[in-house]
Amino acid sequence: MKEQSAQARWEQHTQRPLLALAVAFAVAYAVPIVDSDASRSLTGACTAVEWVVWGSFAADYLVRLAITAERREFVRTHWLDLCAVVLPILQPLRLLRLVSTLMLLGRRARMASQIQLTTYVAGSVIGLLMFGSLAVLSVERESPNGNIRTLGDAVWWSFTTMTTVGYGDHAPTTGLGRMIAVGLMLSGIALLGVVTANIATWFISRFEKDDVEERRQTAAIEALTEEVRALRAEVAALSGAAEKQPR
């Protein structure tokens, strides 16, 4: 219990700093893509920020692993965190650092009980739109046969892909771009399922609440009716006893 309490305290204290680092990572990832004419020094600084953020999330994973009593269970239940930490080391691509940071931030966000489902879904939609647009623009802009050349094209493509509309006016032509498209499609379907399930659950819980209230009122009316009947029987018995008494 002591190790678990230490882990909970660590996660509580590091939640906001890691969120700030994730925002810094988003800015560092977006600047070289949006500004294609960025200087080499600016691009290098942004790359350094990305690695620092990734290193912070990796250090967070190692600390949580060190203060956990059941380390094997921790590794087994947090295998996505481990993959997100290891992948950028095996192949240090900027896109892998993006994916790993999003995975680690998502795992930490789900641990926070105060985050409501609506906020989580809205943040997921915005994050997927932004990072999906930047990712596909970074790999498709220089493609000879590509037709996603500007940030506006990328945002439009991401929106139509996430909603599974797919007009076809813009489409990725590279293998990595198509992998990003598959990820956005699956994410859009998953988020739509979460929203639909949440709405259905709300209606069901509302109906169940109304049914419980109706049953409670019915039971109260029946109890009151039985009480009135008992009082009537008692009054009738008292009246009969009074009539039988000699005067």
Side-chain angles (χ1 to χ4, degrees):
M1 293 299 295
K2 185 176 180 181
E3 287 81 6
Q4 291 178 358
S5 299
Q7 181 182 349
R9 289 195 300 269
W10 170 265
E11 292 170 353
Q12 181 180 2
H13 290 318
T14 57
Q15 180 177 339
R16 290 186 178 179
L18 290 178
L19 180 60
L21 287 174
V23 174
F25 176 89
V27 175
Y29 179 79
V31 167
I33 298 176
V34 175
D35 186 8
S36 57
D37 298 328
S39 62
R40 180 173 298 181
S41 59
L42 179 59
T43 303
C46 291
T47 302
V49 170
E50 293 175 16
W51 278 109
V52 168
V53 172
W54 170 83
S56 300
F57 276 96
D60 170 72
Y61 175 84
L62 294 176
V63 170
R64 286 188 292 149
L65 178 63
I67 63 180
T68 301
E70 299 293 335
R71 295 182 180 177
R72 288 188 178 181
E73 182 67 16
F74 181 85
V75 173
R76 186 183 66 84
T77 56
H78 295 75
W79 60 273
L80 282 176
D81 299 41
L82 181 60
C83 291
V85 170
V86 173
L87 280 177
I89 297 178
L90 297 179
Q91 191 176 2
L93 298 176
R94 298 179 69 244
L95 184 58
L96 285 179
R97 293 201 295 276
L98 164 65
V99 174
S100 62
T101 303
L102 289 178
M103 288 169 59
L104 289 172
L105 181 62
R107 296 284 291 181
R108 291 303 304 273
R110 285 195 293 273
M111 295 179 185
S113 59
Q114 70 271 19
I115 297 180
Q116 299 178 356
L117 180 60
T118 303
T119 304
Y120 179 76
V121 171
S124 299
V125 170
I126 295 174
L128 285 172
L129 280 175
M130 179 178 66
F131 286 111
S133 302
L134 294 173
V136 77
L137 181 61
S138 65
V139 299
E140 293 290 327
R141 174 183 284 164
E142 304 299 331
S143 176
N145 300 322
N147 55 10
I148 302 177
R149 303 293 185 183
T150 64
L151 182 60
D153 294 339
V155 172
W156 171 251
W157 172 84
S158 297
F159 189 84
T160 57
T161 302
M162 280 191 62
T163 55
T164 66
V165 175
Y167 284 108
D169 50 350
H170 296 286
T173 58
T174 63
L176 189 55
R178 288 169 180 170
M179 291 177 60
I180 296 172
V182 172
L184 279 179
M185 292 175 195
L186 296 177
S187 301
I189 294 173
L191 287 174
L192 181 61
V194 170
V195 173
T196 304
N198 188 37
I199 295 175
T201 302
W202 183 85
F203 276 110
I204 292 174
S205 62
R206 184 67 181 180
F207 291 150
E208 290 179 349
K209 183 178 179 181
D210 293 341
D211 291 341
V212 170
E213 181 66 20
E214 184 178 352
R215 287 195 295 268
R216 188 188 66 82
Q217 293 178 357
T218 302
I221 293 173
E222 291 178 353
L224 183 60
T225 302
E226 292 296 329
E227 185 177 353
V228 170
R229 288 176 181 173
L231 289 174
R232 286 180 177 178
E234 185 177 353
V235 170
L238 292 174
S239 298
E243 291 178 355
K244 291 179 181 180
Q245 290 181 356
R247 296 182 180 180

